[in-house]
Amino acid sequence: MTLEELVEAALAEDVGAGDVTATATVDATARGRATITQKAPGVISGLAVAEAVFRRLDPDAAIERLGPEGEWREAGAGVLRVEGSARALLTAERTALNFLGRLSGIATLTATVVRAIRDAGGGARLLDTRKTTPGLRALEKRAVADGGGVNHRAGLYDFILIKENHAALAGGVGEAVRRARELRPDLPLAVEVRDPAEIDEALAAGAPRLLLDNMTPAEIRAAVAQVAGRAELEASGGIDPDTVLVYATISGLHYVSMGALTHSAPALDLSLILETSP
């Protein structure tokens, strides 16, 4: 879905046949200046889609970014200023803020976790997952990147990730890795392993990256010792902001993936103040 299609669908959902309140109370020729500010500290993401919402309703709107994306800023910081049709600004307000709040919330949670890992001396990089809102994946993954996280695969088409069910149907971890590498040697590959035997099997098949899914910290430390640098290692499964440091600070672990970055991030609190303009 393109940005334009996404904005069109979001506005159709909210506006329907028309904004009856704005039409009833605001003169068609009235002009306004809307200023969006942060009500809480955090990282902004999603300016392009918010701007597209305002421009869809007023193509002639003058838009000014008051701060950058991807930078931690405190409450009260200006985000966006839009000047144009007052009716259009009022109609666009909630849709624009929904996008901005959602995406900035993801960026803020990501930045918080990345900073905690760094401050704790952890060497693992923070990955997102495919646990995204349908239709919003590209924007939500951009928000993770704005927060300092690392984007994992975009979808099922650009990265081979062999999970337990794939391996079982292929006849085992090693056979699944061999089949995948033979068919698509051009793509990155990771394989889920559950125990030392599967680790040995995956390494023997040439797997470049092992997914240590739902393992305890002790099991991951044992896996690090067993692999001994022969493959990259990723911890995954049930990791959240309360437990991530336990895993991200394990020496020898390269990545920690965290679905909560996108499926559980609280929205960043934002406000829009509208003033009349000549």
Side-chain angles (χ1 to χ4, degrees):
M1 183 179 293
T2 67
L3 188 65
E4 290 74 20
E5 290 170 336
L6 182 61
V7 167
E8 193 70 30
L11 286 172
E13 175 183 65
D14 197 36
V15 180
D19 180 350
V20 293
T21 308
T23 301
T25 60
V26 180
D27 190 86
T29 61
R31 305 283 295 173
R33 181 187 298 111
T35 303
I36 298 175
T37 59
Q38 291 181 217
K39 295 179 69 177
V43 176
I44 294 297
S45 184
L47 290 177
V49 66
E51 291 167 352
V53 171
F54 288 112
R55 286 208 169 95
R56 173 64 184 82
L57 295 177
D58 183 358
D60 298 321
I63 300 178
E64 177 188 2
R65 295 188 178 189
L66 303 179
E69 294 178 307
E71 180 180 295
W72 188 278
R73 297 193 303 155
E74 298 305 316
V79 176
L80 200 67
R81 181 171 292 124
V82 187
E83 188 164 354
S85 161
R87 278 188 183 178
L89 295 176
L90 288 169
T91 302
E93 175 181 359
R94 179 41 49 198
T95 299
L97 288 179
N98 282 349
F99 277 124
L100 265 181
R102 167 72 179 154
L103 298 171
S104 299
I106 291 171
T108 298
L109 176 59
T110 303
T112 301
V113 176
V114 167
R115 182 165 57 186
I117 292 172
R118 182 193 65 224
D119 291 347
R125 304 180 73 188
L126 184 66
L127 298 177
D128 57 19
T129 71
R130 288 168 48 239
K131 295 178 181 178
T132 54
T133 308
L136 295 184
R137 179 170 295 170
L139 291 173
E140 291 183 350
K141 282 184 169 284
R142 167 64 189 273
V144 169
D146 283 338
V150 177
N151 294 146
H152 207 331
R153 56 180 179 162
L156 297 173
Y157 52 86
D158 65 339
F159 190 111
I160 296 173
L161 179 52
I162 301 168
K163 301 292 292 265
E164 177 184 352
N165 289 330
H166 300 106
L169 291 170
V173 166
E175 181 61 20
V177 172
R178 283 187 286 271
R179 286 188 187 187
R181 286 177 68 82
E182 181 178 350
L183 180 66
R184 293 300 304 269
D186 57 309
L187 290 179
L189 179 148
V191 58
E192 179 183 337
V193 291
R194 297 169 294 176
D195 53 45
E198 288 189 345
I199 290 175
D200 283 339
E201 194 177 344
L203 292 174
R209 184 156 151 187
L210 308 186
L211 177 64
L212 310 175
D213 195 36
N214 288 303
M215 286 191 179
T216 66
E219 289 171 331
I220 289 177
R221 291 188 185 93
V224 169
Q226 180 180 353
V227 172
R230 289 175 289 170
E232 291 187 320
L233 297 176
E234 173 189 342
S236 178
I239 298 172
D240 59 32
D242 294 326
T243 61
V244 64
L245 293 183
V246 175
Y247 294 91
T249 53
I250 295 175
S251 179
L253 188 66
H254 300 86
Y255 301 101
V256 174
S257 57
M258 194 169 131
L261 293 178
T262 49
H263 70 60
S264 296
L268 184 66
D269 196 7
L270 304 165
S271 69
L272 183 150
I273 300 299
L274 182 64
E275 304 170 296
T276 57
S277 62

